[in-house]
Amino acid sequence: RGVPAAQPPQSRSELMSSNAIETPPLAAQLESLSALIRRTEPFCQRISAVGMYIFMGLVILTFADVLLRYVIGSPISGSIEITEMLMSVVLFSSVAYTYWRRGHVSMDIVTGKLSELNKNRLGAITTVWSLAVVFFCITCMGKYAMTTTDTTSVWNMSYKPFIWFAVFGCVLLFLAMLSHLLDQLAAIIRGGGMGSAFLMLGIGLLGVALSVWVAVERLPGISAPAQGVIGMVYMFTMFFLGMPVAFALMGTSLVFIASLRGLTAALNLFGTAWFSTCSSYTWAPLMFFLLMGFLCFYSRFGEDLYRTARNWCGHFRGGLAIASVCACTALGAVVGDALVGCIAMMTIALPEMRRHGYDDKLAIGTLACSGGIGSLIPPSSNFIIYGVLAEQSIADLFIAGVFPGLVCMACFIVVIMIMVWRNPELAPALPRVPMHERLVSLKTGLPIIIIFIVVIGGIYAGMFTATEGGGIGAFTTVFLALVMGRLSWSIVTSGLNDTGKTISMAFTVLGGAGVFSYFMTMSKIPMILAGVIASMNMPPMAVMFAIIVCMSLLGCFIPAIPLMLICVPIFLPLAALFGWNLIWFGVIINILVTMAGMTPPFGVSLFVAKELADVPLSLVYRSSIPFVLAFFLCLGFCIAFEPLSTWLPAMMR
């Protein structure tokens, strides 16, 4: 999931920019206080680095655990609980530094249209709300740390020090947010005066006060489903105003769970949910596979794949675009994340395509969208999330994505061929590469093949679990990169930094979504929705069409991970009601949430492509449309031919 905000909050230098000739005294004081708090940023960076090296230790622990299990028949005692406790350290060591880097995902549906001054005004309001959420996280988690007597079952480790470390990480996060708020207020004073700044601060505090009132008064006379609808409207409003998605989920859940079940119950749940999510062994494969993907990217394995595909396909008209699609599909066998695939291909292939005269409309559309194919090819972070939410086998979901991924690749190639057939000027043909060079280039794809065989083969051979497979895959990637001379200290550091940022973003959203799922259950909306549809006697495909339309529309505005975390708990009861195969349904959901990153106007991959290609956003939008249609074509095949998703998992059992 290194998923940044579509347009991140302004940097400090941008916030300080002003047409004012002299700095107002209050603005100067706020900036001085912000600068004082900013001194914690290097410390946050060091803490994050320590956490990521601990994560590398978890990779080694997982490899050693599997190795000892087969060599001496005795795995490391308590390795699972050690992993769980240190997972919390990995997350909370990076959560503050991720905020300093503006890495927590948010949406700029409103802010993207505003002037700098108005962005700061609205940003100050949403930052106040985010600060309130983090404050409640600190107090509730601190209470949990003081009262808990829980210990692990094997090593008898107390949870207390790990929870206190989580509190410490949240305090650092609070300071980073406070510094950002002070900079925003200073910029408002420069551009609009003190009255404007105090007004924005007052509106923010008023929003917090109203939310507390709803939580305490419990909205008497309003049914649970009605409160569920109000809560969803409240949440989407926070999204659209630019509040970070994770904190909007947390804040909504806290307010409306308190309204439904009482403030004490809500605070107790709020204090444990985020820590419990990030210290759950169930989510460990997501961490491990994200690390594996970034290590493959920084080890230049993607370059090898692209070079091989270019040698075999480049002489066709549109061959470099086809080669990029094939390389992205192969890279998905180790990356498993659409955004990483997009970044890799944009960095590797775009200069080559431009050098050979490819039109940006074809090149950028291909590279911005083909990374999504990797979300279907195992291993896939989307399948991991769905597997946990739907309580389905992650291994079965992995293998279920193979044929749909190949179908998606074929759909992309067909779209490219049609585009260059209609307009040959989009992509000139290149000279044919001699056969012996093509054959020699095949060996450069061996590292990816080896990693894929080790991970997926080991999982299906029963040698290790899907969770252990992520750790084994990351270890194998490091080993191969070392053997090939592709790994240096700077490469490892860059890979770990990006992994830490992405893990922190993803698991903060997961923590918020975990609490939100409790709210959805309490509101009874999923069960009522399923009951209403059952009473209407709608054909199953009509319901499927409604789900596709709903998620496609939401995907235009909401990033992939939040979209899945919000929609799966709602639509899963419908799938069970109609007796749909949940593995097949998971493939459908995966395609839909993958499209969320590629659909205008707020697809994250499109914004990344714009920045890397340095082109107008309107061009990126136009270039993505044919490939979004290719995703819909793939979706149609997977719905019409269910065995595409279910036959291979059945054969592998």
Side-chain angles (χ1 to χ4, degrees), residues 453-493:
I453 291 175
V454 168
V455 175
I456 304 302
I459 291 172
Y460 279 94
M463 298 179 65
F464 41 76
T465 65
T467 301
E468 293 170 334
I472 296 295
F475 185 89
T476 304
T477 303
V478 172
F479 176 77
L480 291 174
L482 282 171
V483 169
M484 298 173 66
R486 300 282 186 89
L487 215 57
S488 66
W489 189 257
S490 62
I491 289 174
V492 172
T493 301

Side-chain angles (χ1 to χ4, degrees), residues 59 69 351 520 578-579 583 598 604:
V59 171
R69 189 164 67 220
M520 282 288 96
F578 288 104
I583 299 295
M598 289 88 188
V604 175

Side-chain angles (χ1 to χ4, degrees), residues 111-155:
T111 58
K113 309 293 184 182
L114 301 178
S115 65
E116 287 300 312
L117 177 59
N118 288 329
K119 283 182 182 179
N120 289 325
R121 284 170 170 160
L122 182 57
I125 295 171
T126 56
T127 304
V128 169
W129 295 342
S130 298
L131 277 166
V133 172
V134 175
F135 173 78
F136 279 108
C137 282
I138 293 169
T139 54
C140 295
M141 211 178 295
K143 180 181 177 182
Y144 175 41
M146 288 187 291
T147 58
T148 186
T149 57
D150 293 342
T151 59
T152 60
S153 56
V154 177
W155 286 85

Side-chain angles (χ1 to χ4, degrees), residues 545-562:
F545 179 76
I547 291 173
I548 291 170
V549 170
C550 179
M551 292 193 66
S552 298
L553 291 175
L554 290 175
C556 293
F557 306 100
I558 302 177
I561 291 179

Side-chain angles (χ1 to χ4, degrees), residues 285-605:
L286 182 59
M287 278 193 180
F288 285 133
F289 283 120
L290 285 172
L291 174 62
M292 188 173 76
F294 277 108
L295 290 175
C296 282
F297 171 63
Y298 280 102
S299 300
R300 307 193 311 279
F301 290 155
E303 293 180 26
D304 297 337
L305 289 173
Y306 178 70
R307 193 178 303 113
T308 300
R310 181 192 60 191
N311 289 344
W312 284 87
C313 305
H315 58 280
F316 298 114
R317 189 171 294 278
L320 290 184
I322 294 173
S324 299
V325 172
C326 295
C328 247
T329 304
L331 189 63
V334 293
V335 172
D337 182 80
L339 195 60
V340 176
C342 169
I343 293 170
M345 284 297 106
M346 289 293 297
T347 305
I348 297 164
L350 184 60
E352 186 83 358
M353 297 173 80
R354 283 176 165 172
R355 185 167 66 88
H356 288 287
Y358 273 60
D359 191 286
D360 272 353
K361 184 177 179 181
L362 174 62
I364 294 173
T366 302
L367 301 175
C369 297
S370 57
I373 302 174
S375 293
L376 292 169
I377 302 295
S380 164
S381 56
N382 285 348
F383 278 138
I384 293 171
I385 295 172
Y386 174 84
V388 174
L389 295 175
E391 298 181 351
Q392 296 297 301
S393 166
I394 293 175
D396 284 351
L397 288 164
F398 277 176
I399 208 68
V402 172
F403 286 154
L406 296 176
V407 169
C408 192
M409 179 187 74
C411 291
F412 270 53
I413 292 173
V414 168
V415 166
I416 292 168
M417 294 174 67
I418 292 174
M419 291 177 69
V420 298
W421 172 70
R422 294 184 60 189
N423 185 2
E425 295 182 358
L426 290 176
L430 304 181
R432 184 185 295 269
V433 175
M435 180 57 72
H436 73 277
E437 291 187 25
R438 284 191 259 172
L439 293 173
V440 169
S441 69
L442 288 175
K443 69 180 183 181
T444 61
L446 283 177
I448 297 296
I449 295 172
I450 291 171
I451 295 170
F452 183 81
I453 291 175
V454 168
V455 175
I456 304 302
I459 291 172
Y460 279 94
M463 298 179 65
F464 41 76
T465 65
T467 301
E468 293 170 334
I472 296 295
F475 185 89
T476 304
T477 303
V478 172
F479 176 77
L480 291 174
L482 282 171
V483 169
M484 298 173 66
R486 300 282 186 89
L487 215 57
S488 66
W489 189 257
S490 62
I491 289 174
V492 172
T493 301
S494 297
L496 290 177
N497 281 340
D498 282 349
T499 305
K501 177 181 174 182
T502 306
I503 285 174
S504 177
M505 177 278 297
F507 276 77
T508 304
V509 174
L510 286 173
V515 191
F516 185 76
S517 66
Y518 285 113
F519 166 51
M520 282 288 96
T521 301
M522 293 176 187
S523 72
K524 303 179 182 178
I525 285 180
M527 292 72 79
I528 291 174
L529 181 62
V532 169
I533 291 177
S535 65
M536 294 173 64
N537 294 320
M538 293 178 62
M541 284 301 103
V543 176
M544 177 62 75
F545 179 76
I547 291 173
I548 291 170
V549 170
C550 179
M551 292 193 66
S552 298
L553 291 175
L554 290 175
C556 293
F557 306 100
I558 302 177
I561 291 179
L563 181 65
M564 178 173 284
L565 293 169
I566 292 168
C567 290
V568 169
I570 295 174
F571 294 137
L572 201 62
L574 297 178
L577 175 68
F578 288 104
W580 292 336
N581 185 302
L582 294 185
I583 299 295
W584 170 72
F585 188 64
V587 172
I588 304 302
I589 293 292
N590 192 353
I591 295 173
L592 289 169
V593 299
T594 298
M595 288 167 55
M598 289 88 188
T599 47
F602 299 104
V604 175
S605 293

